[in-house]
Amino acid sequence: MGLELFNTMILLLLVVAAIVALRVKDLLTASVVFAVYSFLMCLLWAEMGAVDVAFTEATVGAGISTVVMVATILNLKRKSSD
Amino acid sequence: MLKKKRKEQERKMKDSSFIPVLAETMTSSLNDLNIIQIFGFLLGVLGLIFFLGAAVGMLRFPDFYTRMHAAGKGDSMSTMLMLSGLGLVTMEDYSLGSWLVFVKIMGIVLFIYLTSPTSTHVLMKAAFEDNHMPLDEKDLKKAKGKKK
Amino acid sequence: MIDWFAMLVGGSLFLFMVPLLYRIWVGPTAYDRILAVNVIGTKTAVLLVVIGALFDRVHMFVDFAIAYALLNFLASVVVSRYLNRTAAERNVEEKTKGARA
């Protein structure tokens, strides 16, 4: 019974994180909220029992893609604070 | 007629008797539990209360620096309590293996204790150098004035 | 008994994450959002151990949670370093603009 409870909660938080990632204006914050999204995805994988997939999702999501996105934003000359 | 009514009541009683059933399972499972696990359970609940404090602090504090203070402290404290609570609860036999798991959980706590101050410090330095000044009495009075 | 306790801890952890997500949504400055992401990151490590307790394979999930705490720390430090550099650049621009005008 516990796992279904976690399942629904993680999925709800995932949807909220995705909407926030889309709606936020600042580029950097979008990439940071994307890190939250991959945190929750990794939790979802772990909760469903696929530990190795969760591990790669964690390394790729929090580890590499956030860093790469932040590096690209860093090199942007024109600040898009629209 | 009477028997049917009694069967009816029994069925109704069975459906609506979820609360006593839940209570019964909780109490019955509580007594086959040794001191360590009860202590772990208390630690876990304490950690939750601290995290509630941190979350409410993150929500209601007016300024970034006060929120940082709430997050930095509440977060690492509640992580330490909850993790040690979980470690104690999930330790059934006191063999070497379960002790190793407990030591690893304490490793996580130690790591979070080392890294969370550093990351909050770096974040605070970035905010401060971006001349993001903390609120002082004037702004608070103005804010309170606006709210009233 | 263990999974009853793990469910309690995990469920309320998720419940307390909602104000953090609200802080991410509203957070006036980017710094509040990064702070909330940092808190969610450390809480995810605790949740991993809780899920391990639910599966009663704690030994496997504990290593995973350690690696996870490392990654979360890495992400938040990199983002803060980035903000630090752009803040420094913006200060330099303002000073030079002042001097040039």
Side-chain angles (χ1 to χ4, degrees), chain B residues 31-98:
Chain B
N31 44 37
D32 62 2
L33 168 87
N34 48 35
I35 296 299
I36 300 276
Q37 287 187 330
I38 289 185
F39 186 57
F41 176 70
L42 284 179
L43 277 178
V45 171
L46 207 58
L48 273 182
I49 293 167
F50 272 91
F51 183 50
L52 174 65
V56 165
M58 281 284 287
L59 202 61
R60 285 179 54 82
F61 278 158
D63 171 58
F64 166 67
Y65 293 97
T66 41
R67 277 194 285 271
M68 155 127 1
H69 137 77
K73 279 201 300 198
D75 180 29
S76 34
M77 181 65 180
S78 59
T79 310
M80 188 269 283
L81 284 177
M82 270 191 274
L83 278 184
S84 44
L86 273 164
L88 286 183
V89 162
T90 50
M91 176 142 76
E92 311 87 12
D93 51 355
Y94 303 98
S95 66
L96 185 62
S98 57

Side-chain angles (χ1 to χ4, degrees), chain A residues 1, chain B residues 12-25:
Chain A
M1 205 270 278
Chain B
K12 211 182 307 93
M13 202 271 288
K14 202 154 17 50
D15 299 346
S16 71
S17 67
F18 178 66
I19 293 97
V21 166
L22 181 67
E24 197 267 332
T25 46

Side-chain angles (χ1 to χ4, degrees), chain A residues 28 31-32 66-67 69-75 79, chain B residues 64 68 115 117-130, chain C residues 30-31 34-35 38 72-91:
Chain A
L28 169 84
S31 73
V32 166
T66 311
V67 171
M69 266 192 270
V70 165
T72 42
I73 294 174
L74 187 60
N75 297 333
K79 282 289 168 300
Chain B
F64 166 67
M68 155 127 1
T115 50
T118 3
S119 66
T120 20
H121 172 72
V122 169
L123 191 59
M124 189 276 298
K125 199 156 87 75
F128 196 70
E129 265 165 19
D130 198 5
Chain C
Y31 301 110
I34 298 165
L35 187 61
N38 196 359
N72 172 48
F73 170 60
L74 170 82
S76 59
V77 165
V78 162
V79 172
S80 314
R81 293 301 301 170
Y82 155 69
L83 278 174
N84 216 345
R85 281 186 53 188
T86 47
E89 275 158 23
R90 216 171 297 136
N91 289 348

Side-chain angles (χ1 to χ4, degrees), chain A residues 2-3 6 9-10 13 20 24 28-29 32-33 36 39 42-43 46-47 49 51 54-55 58-59 62-63 70 73-74, chain C residues 7 10-11 14 21 24-25 30 33 37 41 44 47-48 50-51 54-55 60-61 64 67-68 71-72 75 79 82-83 85:
Chain A
L3 287 181
F6 279 12
M9 282 195 173
I10 295 180
L13 287 182
V20 168
V24 90
L28 169 84
T29 340
V32 166
V33 175
V36 171
F39 285 167
C42 156
L43 264 182
E47 188 261 335
V51 182
F55 199 67
T59 40
V70 165
I73 294 174
L74 187 60
Chain C
M7 252 176 0
F14 274 118
L21 274 176
I24 287 182
W25 174 279
R33 295 192 174 112
V37 164
T44 323
L47 267 169
L48 279 173
V50 162
I51 291 177
L54 268 178
F55 277 145
M60 194 166 62
F61 279 80
F64 189 21
Y68 199 85
L71 281 171
N72 172 48
V79 172
Y82 155 69
L83 278 174
R85 281 186 53 188

